[in-house]
Amino acid sequence: YEPYKLSPVFSAKAKVAMSRFEPSSSINYEKLHENINIVRRRLNRPLTLSEKIVYGHLDDPAGQEIDRGRTYLRLRPDRVGMQDATAQMAMLQFISSGLPKVAVPSTIHCDHLIEAQIGGAQDLQRAKEVNQEVYNFLATAAAKYGVGFWKPGSGIIHQIILENYAYPGVMLIGTDSHTPNGGGLGGICIGVGGADAVDVMAGIPWELKCPKVIGVRLTGTLSGWTSPKDVILKVAGILTVKGGTGAIVEYHGPGVDSISCTGMATICNMGAEIGATTSVFPYNHRMKTYLEKTGRGEIGSLADQFKDDLVPDKDCEYDQIIEINLSELKPHINGPFTPDLAHPVSEVGAIAKKSGWPLEVKVGLIGSCTNSSYEDMGRAASLAKQALDKGLKCKAQFTVTPGSEQIRATIERDGYAKILRDVGGVVLANACGPCIGQWDRKDVKKGEKNTIVTSFNRNFTARNDANPATHAFVTSPEIVTALALAGTLNFNPETDYLTTPNGEKFKLEAPTGDELPSRDFDPGQDTYQHPPAESSSVKVDVNPASNRLQLLEPFDKWHGKDLENMRILIKVKGKCTTDHISAAGPWLKFRGHLDNISNNLLIGAVNIENDAVNKVKNQLTGEYGGVPDVARQYKASGVNWVVVGDENYGEGSSREHAALEPRHLGGRAIIVKSFARIHETNLKKQGLLPLTFANPQDYDRIRPDDKISITGLKSLAPGKQLTAEIKHSDGSQESISLNHTFNETQIEWFKAGSALNRMKELQ
C-alpha cells in the first residue's frame, strides 16, 4: 500500500505546502471526491461532513457495507501522529512486526515527559537529561523506520499537528485521545492505541466501527466573556462523559463563522471528554486564514476548489441534534473530579459553598493542548494588563503553558509572555506538564483539600498533581486568569469587582485578543528531525538492563478451550478511567518498559469489597496486597483472572498500557457494564476479552471471592453471546449472559493472542 498519489494537476502546489516536513506527503482531493461520489450513489442520500471524510477514506468504497453504529469500516488514514509516552510502545510493536519502513507519513512528538518544576528552560534541560535514553530510542527508531521526529521543546503534539499537518478533509490517527483537535481545521482526527497506529504504519487497512453522527447546530455569535471553550463545556454538560460514545460530533450552522480556527480546535479537542470518536467543523474562511498564516496557503486554495466535499450536504440527517445559541451562551466552569459537571461561572461560587468545595483558588493554570493558541494567550494577557494597570497581581499561583515553540516565540516577541509573567505567571516548557500530572507541586500536602482552576480538558481525581483531595475545575483561559486574580471561585467577572492595593474597586472589561498575529508567526528554534533517505546504518539500541525500555515478547495464543475457574482480581466500584488503570505522572517514565509499568495496574481503582484503593484479597492465601502484586502472584501460580467493572470503563486517555498491563500480568477478560471506545479496542488488540453484562444488574451478582468460567469460546462469533458460569464460595452457582462486539477479524486477534501476533501469522 502506498499513500494516495498526488494528481499531476495539484502535485506541485501541494508539495510546496508540505515540503518543509514531509516532501512525500500528498493531498489528493480528487481521490476523496471520487470515493465520496461512489458512496453517495450507493447510499442515495445526502451525506454529513463526517461521512464524506470517513467514507472518502474507505479501502473499498464500492463494496464496503455501511450502517452507522453497526458495521466495521476498513479505512486508509493519510497519516499517523504519536506522542512520546505512547510512541515508545507503538515503535516497540512496530519493530517486532519486522517491517522495514512505515507505509504512511508518521511523526513522533516529545511532549509528555517534561515535568513542570521551576520554569520552561530549566525544566526542559532537566527532562533532556533524565529522559536521554528514551529520547535517543525514539529519535533513532524514527530515523530507522522513516518517521519524523519533533524534539523535546517543540511543543504539544496536537498544536504541532494543527500548525503543520492537519488540513480540511485529512484522516489522521494519533496515539493520544485528544487527537480530535485537528477537527478545528476540518479533518477527521481520531485518537487510538499504539497497536492501531502500527496497523496504519504497516499499510494494513484500519478498522473503525461505523460512527453515528451527532449534529451540534450553532446559531448566534460568540462575544464578551464567552469563549469557544464554553461551547464544549456546555456540550459536555448535556451529553455527559459517555454521551458521545460511538459517534462523531459535527458542528454546523451559522454560528460556526464566529469562532476562530484555533477556537474550533479547542472544541474538538475536549470532545474526547464526552467519549466521542472525534469532532469536526466544516471548512470555512477562518480555516483558510489559519492555513495561510501557517505557511500553507496552497492547501487553502486546493480546499476552495473542493469545498463541497468539505462541508455537510443540505438536508443530511444526524442521529441526534443539539442546538446552542452562542449569543445566549454564558461562561462555564466544569468540575470537580469529572469534566461533565457543568456550572455557569455566575453560579459556581454558591454551588461550591453548598457542596463544601474549597473556595480559595490555590493555582490557576492556562495553556495545554486544549487552550494554548495565540488568541488564548492574547485574551488572557488582555485581562492581566488591566490588572497590572491598576497595580494588581494574581492572588493565586499562576502558570502558563505555550502549546508550541512557535506560540512561545511569538508571544515573547509580541509582549504577551512579559505581561503574563509580570502579573505573577510562570511560563512553563512547551509541553503537556501539569495537564497530564507532570507537575512537581509543592504548595499543598497530599491529602490537603484545595481548589485549582485550569484551561485543560480533564480533571479526574488526582490527575494533575497526584493529590486525590485537589478539586480541579476546567474552564477557559480567560476565566482561569480572572479567578487567579480574584483568588476565589466565588467571583463572576461579568458582575463582580476586584479591589486595587489602594482600595479602589474596579471591574474587568471583557477580554480581547487577535485571532492570529498581525505579523507572521515567529517559528522559534528549529526542533524537527527529518528521517534520512538512507537508514540501513541507523542502529536502534535497547539495553537489556534498562529499567525504561524493554523489547516485547509475544503474548501466548488462546489454548482453544473455555476459560475456567478464573479469579476476580478486583471488582471495581464506580468511575474507572485509564488514569485509574494505568496512572500517568511519575509512571510516565516506564511507558517503554511493560514489566515495570505493570506495577501501576489498577492502583487507583476503588475495590468494592473495602472501598480502598490498591488493596485486594489474594484468594489463594487470604492475605491482602496491592493489585499488581496479587496479579503477579496469581500469574506465578498459573491462575487466570478477570476484572469486573462499572459503566464507561476505560474512559479518558488512549493509553494502551491500560490494556497491555492486565494481559502481561495474566488477565484474560474484563467484564463491565459498558466500555469507552478506545479502551475496548485496545483490549481486543492485546488478546483480552472485553465483555459487557447483557443485564447490567448482573454486576451486583458477582462477589469478589467468586470463581468465573467463560464458556462458548469455541463458537465465538460476531453478535453471539457468551456465558459466565459463576461459582460462589458458599457452593452455589449461577449463569449470566455476556455480550461482546468482536467482528471476524478481531476474533482472529483473540485466537492468535494479539493483533500483532496475527499480523505476523499473515506475513
Side-chain angles (χ1 to χ4, degrees), residues 546-605:
S546 171
N547 73 345
R548 297 200 59 177
L549 295 166
Q550 180 187 48
L551 292 172
L552 296 172
E553 295 290 329
F555 290 132
D556 60 329
K557 292 175 71 160
W558 174 53
H559 54 40
K561 297 176 281 203
D562 288 338
L563 296 167
E564 296 183 335
N565 294 317
M566 294 185 289
R567 289 293 185 177
I568 294 164
L569 177 65
I570 182 172
K571 182 178 176 184
V572 178
K573 177 182 175 182
K575 197 182 208 42
C576 191
T577 71
T578 48
D579 278 88
H580 294 84
I581 304 167
S582 175
W587 291 94
L588 283 165
K589 61 177 167 285
F590 298 124
R591 284 281 181 88
H593 196 295
L594 180 54
D595 194 57
N596 283 347
I597 199 164
S598 293
N599 290 323
N600 76 1
L601 175 65
L602 285 158
I603 60 175

Side-chain angles (χ1 to χ4, degrees), residues 568-571 580-581 587 598-607 609-610 612-619 621-635 641 643 661 665:
I568 294 164
L569 177 65
I570 182 172
K571 182 178 176 184
H580 294 84
I581 304 167
W587 291 94
S598 293
N599 290 323
N600 76 1
L601 175 65
L602 285 158
I603 60 175
V606 177
N607 181 4
E609 184 188 8
N610 53 14
V613 295
N614 203 26
K615 188 180 178 185
V616 295
K617 189 175 188 178
N618 180 332
Q619 301 297 338
T621 65
E623 294 174 0
Y624 282 85
V627 183
D629 304 321
V630 173
R632 287 185 188 277
Q633 288 157 9
Y634 285 160
K635 183 180 181 182
W641 51 262
V643 171
E661 291 174 33
L665 295 185

Side-chain angles (χ1 to χ4, degrees), residues 20-39:
R20 183 180 157 204
F21 305 117
E22 296 284 358
S24 61
S25 285
S26 52
I27 300 173
N28 194 340
Y29 281 130
E30 287 187 330
K31 178 73 172 171
L32 188 74
H33 181 73
E34 181 188 320
N35 286 358
I36 291 168
N37 282 342
I38 292 168
V39 173

Side-chain angles (χ1 to χ4, degrees), residues 83 88 124 130 165-166 172 193 257 264 289 362 384 468 471 484 530 580 592 600 624 664 669 685 751:
Q83 41 94 335
Q88 294 170 63
L124 176 60
V130 170
Y165 300 125
L172 181 150
D257 285 344
M264 292 187 254
T289 303
K362 287 279 191 188
H471 292 54
H530 196 73
H580 294 84
N600 76 1
Y624 282 85
H664 175 62
K685 287 271 183 182
K751 289 177 177 174

Side-chain angles (χ1 to χ4, degrees), residues 327-517:
S327 301
E328 295 170 3
L329 183 64
K330 287 293 187 186
H332 273 63
I333 183 166
N334 291 20
F337 306 121
T338 185
D340 57 352
L341 187 59
H343 323 279
V345 171
S346 57
E347 296 170 20
V348 74
I351 295 166
K353 278 183 192 168
K354 192 171 147 195
S355 307
W357 303 333
L359 282 175
E360 183 194 356
V361 173
K362 287 279 191 188
V363 193
L365 304 98
I366 65 168
S368 87
C369 65
T370 318
N371 272 116
S372 56
S373 67
Y374 186 81
E375 180 180 43
D376 289 328
M377 295 299 170
R379 284 170 66 89
S382 76
L383 298 172
K385 178 82 167 62
Q386 291 178 52
L388 287 169
D389 288 348
K390 297 285 186 180
L392 261 184
K393 288 194 171 191
C394 288
K395 284 190 179 170
Q397 289 183 42
F398 188 48
T399 71
V400 181
T401 307
S404 68
E405 171 60 7
Q406 179 163 280
I407 293 294
R408 183 208 62 76
T410 307
I411 65 170
E412 284 288 359
R413 181 195 70 192
D414 293 353
Y416 293 164
K418 183 178 189 307
I419 293 167
L420 294 169
R421 276 195 289 264
D422 288 349
V423 86
V426 176
V427 179
L428 300 173
N430 314 323
C432 304
C435 182
I436 59 158
Q438 285 283 41
W439 182 17
D440 185 20
R441 189 178 179 193
K442 302 284 197 209
D443 64 301
V444 296
K445 294 188 179 72
K446 192 165 179 177
E448 186 182 332
K449 249 173 105 166
N450 74 100
T451 286
I452 64 173
V453 291
T454 81
S455 69
F456 304 162
N457 39 47
R458 278 195 190 126
N459 56 349
F460 302 143
T461 304
R463 177 177 171 88
N464 302 123
D465 62 359
N467 180 4
T470 293
H471 292 54
F473 294 83
V474 289
T475 184
S476 67
E478 300 92 317
I479 295 297
V480 172
T481 307
L483 296 183
L485 288 165
T488 175
L489 277 181
N490 195 23
F491 178 75
N492 176 10
E494 292 188 288
T495 56
D496 296 344
Y497 289 79
L498 294 168
T499 307
T500 67
N502 64 12
E504 179 195 342
K505 300 267 190 200
F506 89 100
K507 197 163 75 144
L508 290 165
E509 290 176 16
T512 57
D514 292 339
E515 174 180 351
L516 294 161

